[in-house]
């Protein structure tokens, strides 16, 4: 009964979720590549640049960074772009099928919201509240941290989605560079190592977006573990009650005879 109630609740919530969000993300990424290589100045106004948001009140950047590109492709490497896009489209579709529309929306949009909140709070403290606000701004610009975080935030979001997929499809096999067979979970471990390296070597805002992407993943991992425990618990309770009922019937028959 509890499982049925849980499924009914999720089905109701699915009606309020954005359908095929994975397709929308893919389309936004394609549009981002078009903007980046044809309308560079316009593209730069889409980037999530923390001081531009809190000092220049360019709040649209909190929404438009979804149109920024996760990776730079140039020369012959451009052939990997459609493969890359299809890969993230595929895992997004599988996640939505497995979780349901609402849970997939919650993971992706929740991750974006957490990113925005963390970036804005950090920028306010660093560029407004801090006594060394001016020096902080100059330091972040000179170190390239602002540019690095702005150009990589979409990549970290996609890495977070991929890490979530490794929880449910970690044993699926892929061929790295079409040659090397690897299980998804091993690619997930590699991504975690790369995120750790980015965190150690990156500046303040790079650290913020990396932490948010990982936190979002571990929040899902925790929720997924709770769900598995929830379903296992009620399944065991149901089996236990069935066994108790059988035992009671057996005892009742034994007493009769």
């Amino acid at each position: 009964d509890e499982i049925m109630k849980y499924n009914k609740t999720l089905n109701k919530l699915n009606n309020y979720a954005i359908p095929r969000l994975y397709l929308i993300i893919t389309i936004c990424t394609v549009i981002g590549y078009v903007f980046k290589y044809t309308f560079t100045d316009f593209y730069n106004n889409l980037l999530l640049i923390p001081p531009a948001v809190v000092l220049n009140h360019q709040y649209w950047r909190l929404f438009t960074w979804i149109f920024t590109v996760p990776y730079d492709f140039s020369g012959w490497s451009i052939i990997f772009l459609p493969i890359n896009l299809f890969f993230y489209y595929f895992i997004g579709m599988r996640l939505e099928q497995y979780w349901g529309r609402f849970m997939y929306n919650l993971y992706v949009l929740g991750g974006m919201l957490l990113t925005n909140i963390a970036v804005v709070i950090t920028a306010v403290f660093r560029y407004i509240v801090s006594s060394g606000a001016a020096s902080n701004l100059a330091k972040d610009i000179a170190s390239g941290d602002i540019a690095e975080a702005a150009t990589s935030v979409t990549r970290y979001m996609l890495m977070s989605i991929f890490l979530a997929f490794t929880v449910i499809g970690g044993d699926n096999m892929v061929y790295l560079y079409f040659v090397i067979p690897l299980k998804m979970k091993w690619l997930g471990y590699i991504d975690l190592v790369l995120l750790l390296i980015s965190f150690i070597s990156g500046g303040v805002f790079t650290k913020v977006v990396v932490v948010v992407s990982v936190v979002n993943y571990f929040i899902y991992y925790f929720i997924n573990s709770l769900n598995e425990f929830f379903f296992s618990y009620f399944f065991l309770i149901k089996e236990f009650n069935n066994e108790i009922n059988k035992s009671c019937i057996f005892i009742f028959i034994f007493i009769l005879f």
Side-chain angles (χ1 to χ4, degrees):
D1 292 339
E2 296 295 331
I3 295 176
M4 290 180 64
K5 289 179 182 178
Y6 178 80
N7 288 331
K8 284 181 180 179
T9 302
L10 278 184
N11 288 333
K12 288 180 181 179
L13 291 173
N14 284 338
N15 295 327
Y16 301 99
I18 302 172
R20 296 185 179 181
L21 181 59
Y22 55 88
L23 177 60
I24 295 173
I25 292 173
T26 304
I27 292 172
C28 288
T29 304
V30 172
I31 293 173
Y33 278 106
V34 173
F35 286 159
K36 178 176 174 60
Y37 295 111
T38 56
F39 306 101
T40 306
D41 291 338
F42 178 75
Y43 176 81
N44 290 334
N45 283 317
L46 305 178
L47 296 168
L48 181 59
I49 301 177
V53 174
V54 300
L55 298 178
N56 300 330
H57 311 295
Q58 297 177 2
Y59 301 119
W60 67 80
R61 293 179 183 272
L62 297 172
F63 304 95
T64 57
W65 63 262
I66 190 62
F67 291 97
T68 59
V69 302
Y71 304 98
D72 283 328
F73 291 95
S74 58
W76 64 269
S77 66
I78 195 71
I79 63 174
F80 291 105
L81 176 57
I83 300 171
N84 186 275
L85 292 174
F86 177 77
F87 178 73
Y88 283 109
Y89 172 89
F90 172 79
I91 63 176
M93 179 177 63
R94 291 302 184 195
L95 279 173
E96 185 178 283
Q97 289 173 349
Y98 182 82
W99 285 346
R101 189 185 305 165
F102 173 77
M103 290 301 294
Y104 181 70
N105 274 230
L106 183 63
Y107 184 82
V108 175
L109 299 181
M112 293 175 65
L113 180 61
L114 283 176
T115 299
N116 287 339
I117 292 172
V119 165
V120 168
I121 290 175
T122 305
V124 167
F125 275 94
R126 194 160 177 80
Y127 302 137
I128 297 176
V129 177
S130 174
S131 57
S135 62
N136 287 339
L137 178 60
K139 188 189 302 181
D140 291 344
I141 293 174
S143 67
D145 179 43
I146 292 174
E148 172 62 23
T151 55
S152 60
V153 61
T154 309
R155 179 168 74 252
Y156 293 134
M157 179 192 73
L158 292 177
M159 289 174 76
S160 177
I161 294 173
F162 174 71
L163 287 173
F165 181 78
T166 61
V167 176
I168 65 170
D171 290 327
N172 289 345
M173 192 73 71
V174 293
Y175 288 87
L176 188 64
Y177 301 115
F178 306 104
V179 177
I180 306 171
L182 282 175
K183 287 187 176 181
M184 287 281 199
K185 61 183 178 183
W186 291 109
L187 290 177
Y189 297 147
I190 293 172
D191 271 4
L192 286 173
V193 171
L194 292 176
L195 287 169
L196 179 61
I197 293 171
S198 296
F199 177 82
I200 294 172
S201 62
V204 174
F205 286 100
T206 300
K207 285 179 169 60
V208 167
V209 293
V210 167
V211 167
V212 169
S213 66
V214 175
V215 165
N216 194 37
Y217 161 70
F218 280 110
I219 288 174
Y220 160 68
Y221 188 84
F222 176 72
I223 292 173
N224 186 70
S225 299
L226 281 183
N227 284 341
E228 289 182 356
F229 173 79
F230 175 83
F231 287 120
S232 299
Y233 171 77
F234 282 105
F235 176 77
L236 289 174
I237 289 294
K238 185 176 180 180
E239 289 296 309
F240 177 75
N241 288 335
N242 288 338
E243 292 298 323
I244 289 294
N245 291 334
K246 290 177 183 178
S247 299
C248 289
I249 292 172
F250 175 78
I251 292 171
F252 179 71
I253 293 173
F254 181 77
I255 292 172
L256 284 177
F257 287 92

